[in-house]
Amino acid sequence: MKRALTTLFTLSLLAGCGGGNLDQQDAREQATEHTCDRAEKCGQVGAGKTFVDRDDCEVKAEAFWNSRWPKEACDDHVKQDDLDLCLGAIDVTICGDGLGEFLTVANQCKPELVCAGS
């Protein structure tokens, strides 16, 4: 019971903070996690695949998102709600759909949206 109450309290605190601004590092870390979760789900991680292992995916995804959302343009300007739209799009992009991946990055995860919080 105590654990359930603690979890409920934590979730209520997080819900109250959901619209706040994040820094570029927070956004990059979340996008990297979602990118690599999707890569694993799509069978792109392993010997002879796009990424050798999870660490390889994280290094490459982090570099990609870091260049996509530069610190000087994004720092303290990311709202979780805006970022969540991008992360959701990453999660639901169909495996093996190169056009879908491109459109997710170009439309749902573009800097003008993700880095536009104030």
Side-chain angles (χ1 to χ4, degrees):
M1 178 70 169
K2 183 178 178 183
R3 184 175 181 186
L5 289 174
T6 301
T7 301
L8 183 60
F9 177 72
T10 302
L11 289 174
S12 69
L13 285 176
L14 291 174
C17 299
N21 287 0
L22 304 171
D23 64 19
Q24 183 261 8
Q25 180 179 348
D26 293 329
R28 185 191 68 223
E29 288 173 358
Q30 289 182 49
T32 295
E33 181 178 338
H34 282 256
T35 300
C36 292
D37 287 350
R38 183 181 167 281
E40 286 180 329
K41 180 184 88 172
C42 292
Q44 298 173 322
V45 178
K49 304 205 175 169
T50 306
F51 306 104
V52 175
D53 55 25
R54 176 74 184 213
D55 288 340
D56 181 44
C57 180
E58 289 177 357
V59 166
K60 290 175 180 172
E62 185 173 297
F64 173 81
W65 293 115
N66 200 47
S67 67
R68 184 81 176 141
W69 305 327
K71 183 172 178 58
E72 55 278 355
C74 236
D75 214 20
D76 295 326
H77 296 290
V78 179
K79 284 188 181 175
Q80 186 68 54
D81 294 344
D82 298 330
L83 178 60
D84 285 344
L85 293 173
C86 167
L87 300 177
I90 292 169
D91 294 343
V92 300
T93 301
I94 297 170
C95 295
D97 180 4
L99 179 60
E101 291 174 5
F102 171 79
L103 292 173
T104 292
V105 171
N107 294 325
Q108 300 298 318
C109 300
K110 63 184 172 182
E112 302 86 66
L113 294 177
V114 174
C115 298
S118 58

